[in-house]
Amino acid sequence: MELKRKDILSLSDLDREEIDLILQTADSFKEVSTREIKKVPALRGKTVINLFFEPSTRTRTSFELAGKRLSADVINISSTGSSTVKGESLLDTARNIEAMHSDFIIVRHASSGVPQFLAKSLQSAVINAGDGAHAHPSQGLLDLLTIKEAKGTLEGLKVVIVGDILHGRVAHSDIHGLLKYGADIHLVAPPTLIPIGIELWGVTVHYHLDEALHDADVVILLRLQLERQNTAYFPTLREYAKLYGLDRRRLSLAKEDALVMHPGPINRGVEVTSEVADGLSSVILKQVSNGIAVRMALLFLLSGGKND
Amino acid sequence: MGTVILNSHEILRVLTRIAHEILERNEGAKEIILVGIQTGGVHLAKRIAHFIGKIEGTTPPTGTLDITLYRDDLAARKEYPTLKKTDIPVDMNDKKVVLVDDVLFTGRTIRAAMDSLIDLGRPKEIQLAVLVDRGHRELPIRADYVGKNLPTAFHEKVEVLLEEVGEEDRVLLNRGQKN
């Protein structure tokens, strides 16, 4: 089995066998990060370019470490230091990078569709590291890996996703991934942050957190994308925290062994109380560790798929 | 179907002999770790450990090693083999590692395995045990313990089938197509 594709753009393009292969490979890669010498020679001589037009610490560092632990050369380009501020177009920037013989371009951009556009225009493998409100496939995959690891399976789990679904590319990737395994997905948010018609994806929508949490296996909290909310979607952060914040009492409505997940960065006291974020149910830091393994798997599998 | 080179009784005898040879050369099993190369060597390492346990009373630790990430043909391959687990549960420093594989052919797998082991720790010694040595080495590598020396033509295929993967224990030689 191999990954027969050039790029990873969204989880909706991947079929279940491909996701299984990625998760299985990531599971094997976890061991590399626990070694004294955290490096294997698999991608020696390959060049990975992190092209980030939006701020990111976790995802960029994670891709960078994933590349370095596979012995690839990794270069980071961020929007502030790049020539786009000098007026260069996106495609010209990308073509110039490719002219330096890159093998992978990891792209994050505030506009949906940028990775698709670059994938069509470039020879390099393109991995979407988050585009607008569209998708964040590597985060979706690491969430699947974290859930599968804790629960043994993804099938039939009740997963509650709380927060900004409207701007939530993480939510979109999680939903696409989980639906392929037949999870029972419940979305909770103020009505203004739920996209119209999302029920058609086969998910249940709630406006009250308490009723959704009953018997949940997994609770995924989303960050409020305050930078994308240019109009008021809810009156105050305090009200949001009160109605949609996860605290100990609310968590007790879910199953006893329920997992609490958050893609980070956390707004403590808003999406989740510190008590829950640092509690025994929380796998938030495990998500971060798994992120490296998943990204190593993506780089490794994509570099093997070039047979066109 | 190919010619049967070793049947289940012969495999049993050969592995028992290798267990004795490992004990003789290392004067016991105290410092030994058996590391099977994924996937063929993994079951054989466990079996040899079991035989050593029966002879000595203490079973040496075993580990598994996936050499995919260390292959020298990784960049050229069109299809990657599926990555399997590397798991060496004990500290290898100052221990003698016996690498176990099913078939010794070009020696490239063993080169990759040695590089991988040395990244994982600093064994006092690395030895090599194989069920079948079929020749055609492309690197200066030899086995310390050989189940059977089998002269082959380069295009022939040696297949090791084991109970652990749902087959009757046997080693087959497939003549294959001559080029």
Side-chain angles (χ1 to χ4, degrees), chain A residues 32-103:
Chain A
V32 175
S33 292
T34 65
R35 295 182 186 180
E36 209 165 310
I37 300 173
K38 302 177 188 59
K39 210 176 183 70
V40 290
L43 294 191
R44 231 168 7 155
K46 303 269 184 190
T47 304
V48 178
I49 310 277
N50 273 328
L51 186 57
F52 277 57
F53 294 98
E54 268 194 334
S56 161
T57 315
R58 219 171 325 266
T59 306
R60 189 184 51 73
T61 312
S62 185
F63 269 113
E64 184 173 353
L65 282 175
K68 287 185 168 167
R69 287 185 185 166
L70 290 170
S71 301
D73 297 308
V74 186
I75 306 292
N76 293 308
I77 300 173
S78 62
S79 57
T80 46
S82 78
S83 46
T84 46
V85 293
K86 299 177 190 163
E88 190 175 48
S89 79
L90 172 70
L91 186 57
D92 281 333
T93 305
R95 282 194 177 141
N96 275 278
I97 289 167
E98 189 160 77
M100 299 174 194
H101 301 286
S102 59
D103 298 288

Side-chain angles (χ1 to χ4, degrees), chain B residues 25-26 94-98 122-127:
Chain B
R25 169 152 166 195
N26 296 289
D94 301 319
K95 291 277 173 60
K96 294 180 182 173
V97 172
V98 181
R122 190 185 182 282
K124 188 175 178 182
E125 212 177 290
I126 300 177
Q127 301 170 8

Side-chain angles (χ1 to χ4, degrees), chain A residues 26-35, chain B residues 85-88 120:
Chain A
D27 192 35
S28 298
F29 270 125
K30 285 178 66 173
E31 177 267 334
V32 175
S33 292
T34 65
R35 295 182 186 180
Chain B
K85 290 267 162 84
T86 291
D87 177 25
I88 296 174
L120 289 165

Side-chain angles (χ1 to χ4, degrees), chain A residues 1-2 21 24-25 27-29 31-32 35 37 39-43 46 70 300-301 303-305 307, chain B residues 65-66 68-72 74-75 77-87 93 116 118-120:
Chain A
M1 175 84 196
E2 63 180 310
L21 174 68
Q24 190 196 336
T25 308
D27 192 35
S28 298
F29 270 125
E31 177 267 334
V32 175
R35 295 182 186 180
I37 300 173
K39 210 176 183 70
V40 290
L43 294 191
K46 303 269 184 190
L70 290 170
F300 176 69
L301 291 169
S303 70
N307 48 1
Chain B
L65 191 67
D66 183 290
T68 309
L69 302 168
Y70 286 81
R71 296 185 72 103
D72 57 10
L74 206 47
R77 281 171 82 95
K78 287 202 166 168
E79 186 172 333
Y80 280 7
T82 310
L83 191 64
K84 304 256 177 28
K85 290 267 162 84
T86 291
D87 177 25
N93 293 341
S116 174
I118 285 163
D119 276 358
L120 289 165

